[in-house]
Amino acid sequence: MKSQCCRYKTAFNKSGFFGLFDKCNPVALICINMEKKKEILNILKQQGFRFAPIREAILDLMLKSNKPLSCQEIHKHLRIKANKTTLYRELEFLKDKKIIDEFKLDDGVRRYEASSKHHHHAVCVRCRRVECVELNKDLESQEKQIEENNKFKIISHSLEFYGLCRKCQAIKR
C-alpha cells in the first residue's frame, strides 16, 4: 500500500477533469501543478465560467494536497479569505465539473480531493488522519462476480480501512 495518492497525468474531457500526476518528483510536481491549474482555469473560462480568485485558491490547494481535506481544513489553509457559503458554493461547482471528488467516512464529515483514478482510504481511528491508498488487485473482476452471483447491478463501491497511523501507533496509552 502506498501512503499517498498515486497521481497521474491529467486529462479534461466534456464531462470534466480526471486523473492527476506522478508525485514522485517534487520539482516536476510544482511545474505540473501550475500547468494543470492554468489548463483547468482556461477550459473553465472557454466554457463561459467566470474567473474567481477563491476558485483558483481552492484549485491550487486541492492540486497541492496529498490527502483529502474537509471544508474546515480547506478554509483554514486557503491563502485568501472567504466566507463558508462561498467556499461551499465553489466546492460544489468544482465537484459538478468533476475537478474534485467528495466523499464521507464514518464520521460523517465531507472530504474533498482532486479528482483522480479510483482509490480507497486508510483512516486513523485515533487522530482521524486520512490517507489515500491503492490496491494492487483490480476489483473489477470481483464486482463482475458479485453482479453475476447475486444478480445485482453495482453502480459504485466504497472501501475504507480503519486502524492506527504510524504516529498514533507510537503513542503509548
Side-chain angles (χ1 to χ4, degrees), residues 15-71:
S15 63
F17 171 81
F18 59 92
L20 282 173
F21 35 84
D22 181 14
K23 281 203 165 194
C24 298
N25 183 339
V27 175
L29 177 62
I30 292 168
C31 294
I32 290 170
N33 274 342
M34 288 173 28
E35 283 303 311
K36 289 304 143 194
K37 183 174 80 172
K38 284 180 192 174
E39 178 185 345
I40 292 166
L41 291 173
N42 283 336
I43 290 169
L44 291 175
K45 197 179 233 182
Q46 289 170 2
Q47 292 177 352
F49 297 104
R50 65 180 178 78
F51 174 80
I54 184 69
R55 187 173 294 161
E56 182 181 4
I58 293 169
L59 181 58
D60 198 38
L61 179 61
M62 296 279 82
L63 290 173
K64 288 178 181 176
S65 179
N66 64 355
K67 69 178 191 124
L69 301 171
S70 67
C71 187

Side-chain angles (χ1 to χ4, degrees), residues 7 20 34 60-61 74 82 87 92 105 119 125 142 148:
R7 306 294 192 193
L20 282 173
M34 288 173 28
D60 198 38
L61 179 61
I74 293 168
L87 180 58
E92 196 63 32
L105 297 173
H119 62 274
V125 296
Q142 301 233 329
E148 288 173 16

Side-chain angles (χ1 to χ4, degrees), residues 99-110:
I99 296 169
I100 63 172
D101 293 325
E102 174 192 78
F103 66 94
K104 283 189 217 176
L105 297 173
D106 66 336
D107 60 2
V109 175
R110 291 179 183 178

Side-chain angles (χ1 to χ4, degrees), residues 100-135:
I100 63 172
D101 293 325
E102 174 192 78
F103 66 94
K104 283 189 217 176
L105 297 173
D106 66 336
D107 60 2
V109 175
R110 291 179 183 178
R111 289 181 174 77
Y112 303 88
E113 61 189 351
S115 290
S116 66
K117 75 179 200 170
H118 185 76
H119 62 274
H120 304 280
H121 300 97
V123 182
C124 180
V125 296
R126 190 175 291 159
C127 71
R128 303 305 297 172
R129 178 183 171 96
V130 179
E131 295 183 9
C132 301
V133 295
E134 273 192 62
L135 300 178

